[in-house]
Amino acid sequence: MAIKPGMGRKSSNKNPPFFSHEFVIQNHADIVSCVAMVFVIGLMLQATNSLASIFIALHHNVTGAENPRGEPYFYESGWKDGCAIFFYTLICIIMHAILQEYVLDKISKKLHLSKFKLSRFNESGQLVVFYTMSFLWGFDVIVREQYIGNLSKLWESYPDHPMGFLHKLFFIIQLAYYVHILPELYFQRIKKDEYSSRIKHAVCGFVVIAIAYFLNFQRIAIVLLTLHYFCEFISHTFQLINIFDKDEKFVKLSIIYNILFFLTRFATMVLSFLTLFYGIDNASQTKRGLILSIIYGLQGTLIYAFIKNLLQSKRENAEEAASTKKSKSDKTKKERKRESDLPEADQNSTQASPIAIASNNTKKLKAKVK
């Protein structure tokens, strides 16, 4: 029986050999779905329930067995979170494939984009969905925990401030998402020249979030991530607009993102400094210095990359304008040379204005009448 192409890839009339690279790429979403289903089925069986629950459920509950009914449970970080990250990485791969096939591929087919724009469209389309979900989720947790009206909650009772269910699941999904970027380089046939930037994005995102999560800086981390994700959502939204905006009608709106970018960086540095060196005083100086240096180093890198891209874009626009002006100047010179090669009478007729030609014609007509 022929295997139909699954999610996240283009259909093909030929069926590749089993376990070949092409077979795995075409059917990777179906394969990963089967692996995830093994854990789900294992959760339903009594013999394997305890093992499967390590991968699916959240662990390290600190509420206790005598928690009153209806009261929320609270968790802390621990080694079992690695198993949950693995399982939810599989879920991220499946969701990535669904979004790619049923939304992005259908839109891109109608647009007839070039290869470069298609790659940008797929990347920004995936990231816009992720950043939107993460921002709304993080903002919901911030409102629930009442961090906005009371910033002191960011450092109260550190390090013994456990997380709620949604708070902990937020970090598990974040870590799983950045892990899933690495196998997607293979599944999505990403070009090798794009490997470096995407690997840096995945590794840096995972390392920074993991350090904040396992060192019990989850409260300040979720606030800073929510700010960062909102800024990145605006950035990739403008990238999508630029792909659709062939007449460049919305180019001037990019100044909104430029202002928001620097406001986000400034707010991030101020909040992290207040929390780590003003609020948290019962942590070691080394730990606080490590976290703050990571945050400030990351902000400096983002600002440097932003300014570099901005200057490069202006340089390219200036070169394009100069090239257009030069081509127009060359065209004018060719027209003048072509006119100089004509006989004198033709040159005069070419150079004469329509008004002068009409006046000469009127004089000739009057002379004939006389």
Side-chain angles (χ1 to χ4, degrees):
M1 181 177 64
I3 293 183
K4 296 180 181 180
M7 297 177 290
R9 63 264 178 204
K10 296 180 180 179
S11 59
S12 176
N13 294 327
K14 296 181 180 179
N15 293 319
F18 283 97
F19 304 113
S20 63
H21 290 290
E22 190 65 26
F23 176 85
V24 173
I25 291 173
Q26 285 188 9
N27 300 278
H28 76 272
D30 300 326
I31 295 171
V32 173
S33 298
C34 292
V35 176
M37 284 302 298
V38 171
F39 292 99
V40 176
I41 294 172
L43 193 65
M44 300 177 183
L45 302 177
Q46 186 175 1
T48 57
N49 177 276
S50 58
L51 180 61
S53 64
I54 297 177
F55 292 87
I56 299 177
L58 298 184
H59 292 275
H60 304 288
N61 182 4
V62 295
T63 306
E66 298 180 357
N67 186 49
R69 187 174 182 179
E71 292 295 323
Y73 286 90
F74 293 96
Y75 303 84
E76 62 183 7
S77 59
W79 67 269
K80 291 183 180 179
D81 294 334
C83 300
I85 292 170
F86 171 77
F87 175 78
Y88 288 102
T89 298
L90 303 179
I91 303 301
C92 288
I93 293 174
I94 297 169
M95 298 305 298
H96 186 118
I98 292 173
L99 177 62
Q100 184 66 44
E101 180 176 6
Y102 292 105
V103 180
L104 299 179
D105 284 349
K106 290 186 176 182
I107 295 175
S108 62
K109 285 178 181 178
K110 296 179 180 180
L111 297 176
H112 304 289
L113 301 173
S114 62
K115 289 184 178 180
F116 175 76
K117 286 190 174 181
L118 180 62
S119 176
R120 287 290 181 88
F121 173 76
N122 289 332
E123 181 184 10
S124 295
Q126 293 281 350
L127 289 175
V128 161
V129 174
F130 170 69
Y131 290 141
T132 303
M133 182 203 72
S134 299
F135 167 72
L136 294 176
W137 192 342
F139 186 74
D140 178 66
V141 173
I142 291 171
V143 172
R144 287 173 183 269
E145 300 293 336
Q146 300 178 351
Y147 295 154
I148 296 178
N150 188 6
L151 287 179
S152 62
K153 284 193 172 184
L154 295 177
W155 55 78
E156 281 182 354
S157 66
Y158 175 87
D160 299 323
H161 48 206
M163 300 167 283
F165 178 83
L166 291 176
H167 196 166
K168 182 180 176 71
L169 186 60
F170 174 86
F171 282 99
I172 297 297
I173 298 298
Q174 295 298 309
L175 294 170
Y177 181 86
Y178 284 103
V179 171
H180 111 283
I181 293 176
L182 299 178
E184 286 296 340
L185 298 176
Y186 172 71
F187 294 145
Q188 299 296 325
R189 296 188 179 93
I190 303 300
K191 294 180 180 179
K192 291 185 178 180
D193 56 351
E194 298 181 16
Y195 273 25
S196 178
S197 60
R198 299 205 183 191
I199 290 175
K200 286 179 182 178
H201 177 226
V203 173
C204 289
F206 180 84
V207 171
V208 170
I209 294 175
I211 290 174
Y213 177 69
F214 288 104
L215 292 182
N216 296 323
F217 293 104
Q218 299 96 345
R219 293 185 178 183
I220 182 62
I222 196 170
V223 174
L224 299 184
L225 283 173
T226 302
L227 285 173
H228 175 71
Y229 287 153
F230 179 71
C231 184
E232 290 298 304
F233 161 74
I234 298 297
S235 171
H236 287 277
T237 299
F238 277 116
Q239 286 193 27
L240 291 176
I241 291 174
N242 291 334
I243 293 174
F244 295 115
D245 185 22
K246 296 181 180 180
D247 299 329
E248 297 184 353
K249 296 180 180 179
F250 302 98
V251 173
K252 294 182 180 179
L253 293 178
S254 60
I255 192 173
I256 298 174
Y257 167 69
N258 297 343
I259 296 172
L260 180 63
F261 176 85
F262 285 105
L263 289 177
T264 303
R265 302 307 135 209
F266 177 75
T268 298
M269 290 187 285
V270 170
L271 280 174
S272 58
F273 182 82
L274 288 176
T275 302
L276 295 170
F277 272 89
Y278 172 75
I280 299 176
D281 55 359
N282 56 346
S284 65
Q285 193 79 7
T286 304
K287 183 186 290 189
R288 289 185 291 171
L290 173 64
I291 297 296
L292 194 65
S293 62
I294 291 174
I295 294 173
Y296 274 57
L298 183 60
Q299 301 310 304
T301 303
L302 292 173
I303 292 173
Y304 170 77
F306 175 82
I307 295 175
K308 181 181 177 181
N309 292 334
L310 193 63
L311 294 177
Q312 184 178 357
S313 177
K314 287 186 176 181
R315 193 183 303 113
E316 290 176 353
N317 292 335
E319 291 176 355
E320 184 179 355
S323 177
T324 305
K325 186 177 180 181
K326 184 179 179 182
S327 63
K328 289 182 179 180
S329 177
D330 293 342
K331 185 177 180 181
T332 305
K333 288 180 181 179
K334 288 181 180 179
E335 290 177 354
R336 289 177 181 176
K337 186 176 183 303
R338 193 181 300 115
E339 291 175 1
S340 65
D341 293 337
L342 295 174
E344 186 176 355
D346 293 338
Q347 290 183 31
N348 293 334
S349 65
T350 303
Q351 294 174 357
S353 65
I355 297 175
I357 293 172
S359 178
N360 290 334
N361 291 336
T362 304
K363 290 178 181 180
K364 290 179 180 179
L365 182 62
K366 289 179 178 180
K368 286 182 180 179
V369 171
K370 290 180 179 179

